[in-house]
Amino acid sequence: MEPDELYTLRTCYYLGHYQLALDEAKNLARRPMPPHLKSEREELLTRALIASNQPLSSTTSNSIAIQMLHLTANKTGMSKEELVAAAESLLSQSPQDMNVQLYAALLFLKLGMTKEALKCVHLGATMEHLALSLQIYLKLDRLDLANEQWSLMKQADEDATLTQLCGALVMASTGKSRAEEAIYAYQTLSEQYGPSHMLLNCMAVAHMVVGDFTQAQGKLEEALDMSSGAVAGSEGATTLINLIAVYQNLGNSAKVDETVSMLKKQYASHPYVQSLATVEAAFQRVSAQYA
């Protein structure tokens, strides 16, 4: 079997080590490789840039997959209707491209179109399709179907990084009875590849499922400390949101207020912050009636 030249790049990306993924992608650019691997390298590079909230150069690429990825970033401020129309157009141009299907599913999920996202990946044509289908089924509270996807992933490659990550996700979602196994899986990956914001947040959530909020707080604060409390991109918002949940369960209202203020200041456009603003406005309207 020939060595997988993109193994390290994929693994770094899957585990949330986006800067390492970017460095690896740049190193690989110096090596000759077949066209299909070169295309995948470019896509993984683009995905890592998006995930780490780094700027994308405007694309003139003929690659439908790269164009779809640029839609997911939506740096031009397109409306939901415009994004959906553009995505459907790209899908129609390359209906058999499995990566285009994957990126379309990610876009639809971002837009809250869960059914449309699942349609793109439900056949499980690749490991990433299976992994995303699994996450969607968990989002729909269909643990049984998520378990089926995990079983298919184990049949394909039990030792794959994606299989291990998805297994930990399923175990944490199962509840307290299996959350300890999820913690062990995340710890093993962290020891093997180093901790990332994503892995630390996953471990924190698993600790919360177990009911150990002090351990969860430690993991989340470690995630903030990794970048001196100023995490770029959606990962920073996720860490703060999880910290709010931890502080609430620990009864630390002062920390809740402080973290909510930080979240609003740093991530004003995040859906959580926007939903919170809607609820607060509704509360103010109702309370004014009784003032």
Side-chain angles (χ1 to χ4, degrees):
M1 181 181 293
E2 293 184 5
D4 183 353
E5 294 183 73
L6 299 184
Y7 174 82
T8 300
L9 173 55
R10 286 195 208 94
T11 300
C12 288
Y13 176 77
Y14 293 155
L15 294 175
H17 288 297
Y18 301 124
Q19 189 55 54
L20 291 178
L22 292 171
D23 293 341
E24 177 67 11
K26 291 170 185 174
N27 289 334
L28 288 171
R30 304 187 185 100
R31 301 183 197 170
M33 59 179 58
H36 71 283
L37 289 182
K38 184 177 179 181
S39 295
E40 186 179 355
R41 184 200 72 84
E42 290 299 322
E43 290 169 30
L44 285 165
L45 172 63
T46 304
R47 294 169 75 180
L49 286 169
I50 293 170
S52 55
N53 201 38
Q54 296 191 40
L56 295 176
S57 56
S58 58
T59 182
T60 56
S61 173
N62 292 324
S63 165
I64 302 298
I66 293 292
Q67 292 178 48
M68 187 71 81
L69 282 172
H70 276 251
L71 283 182
T72 68
N74 192 22
K75 297 295 185 180
T76 57
M78 296 169 69
S79 67
K80 178 178 179 178
E81 293 74 18
E82 290 171 331
L83 286 170
V84 171
E88 289 177 343
S89 174
L90 291 175
L91 279 169
S92 68
Q93 294 175 51
S94 191
Q96 304 303 319
D97 189 315
M98 292 177 287
N99 283 353
V100 172
Q101 295 166 0
L102 174 69
Y103 306 148
L106 292 171
L107 173 62
F108 290 144
L109 273 180
K110 188 176 180 180
L111 297 175
M113 301 168 64
T114 308
K115 181 179 178 181
E116 290 76 7
L118 187 56
K119 282 182 179 179
C120 292
V121 294
H122 76 283
L123 294 178
T126 69
M127 289 290 278
E128 284 208 69
H129 280 212
L130 288 169
L132 189 56
S133 295
L134 181 149
Q135 293 174 68
I136 293 172
Y137 286 133
L138 289 177
K139 181 180 176 69
L140 296 172
D141 292 324
R142 290 301 305 269
L143 183 60
D144 56 329
L145 296 178
N147 262 304
E148 289 180 11
Q149 301 302 300
W150 184 31
S151 295
L152 291 172
M153 295 180 75
K154 287 189 287 186
Q155 290 172 26
D157 188 349
E158 189 168 12
D159 296 324
T161 303
L162 273 181
T163 305
Q164 295 176 58
L165 282 171
C166 286
L169 189 58
V170 168
M171 289 186 287
S173 300
T174 301
K176 192 172 183 178
S177 62
R178 300 203 67 186
E180 289 283 2
E181 295 176 67
I183 293 170
Y184 176 77
Y186 289 131
Q187 285 176 335
T188 300
L189 288 168
S190 292
E191 289 168 4
Q192 187 173 359
Y193 298 102
S196 66
H197 292 107
M198 186 197 78
L199 286 173
L200 289 168
N201 271 276
C202 287
M203 274 191 278
V205 170
H207 279 299
M208 283 191 266
V209 174
V210 173
D212 191 344
F213 294 99
T214 301
Q215 281 287 346
Q217 178 183 344
K219 296 300 179 186
L220 294 170
E221 290 178 346
E222 183 180 347
L224 289 180
D225 288 343
M226 285 176 68
S227 43
S228 303
V231 186
S234 60
E235 288 183 321
T238 300
T239 302
L240 292 175
I241 291 166
N242 284 330
L243 269 172
I244 290 168
V246 166
Y247 291 141
Q248 285 176 323
N249 280 278
L250 291 174
N252 193 335
S253 57
K255 275 291 189 180
V256 170
D257 293 341
E258 177 186 326
T259 310
V260 168
S261 296
M262 189 185 307
L263 183 66
K264 288 179 177 178
K265 181 179 179 180
Q266 295 182 11
Y267 304 97
S269 61
H270 192 278
Y272 183 97
V273 175
Q274 294 178 341
S275 296
L276 186 61
T278 300
V279 171
E280 289 174 339
F283 178 81
Q284 291 297 328
R285 287 195 300 271
V286 173
S287 61
Q289 298 175 12
Y290 300 94

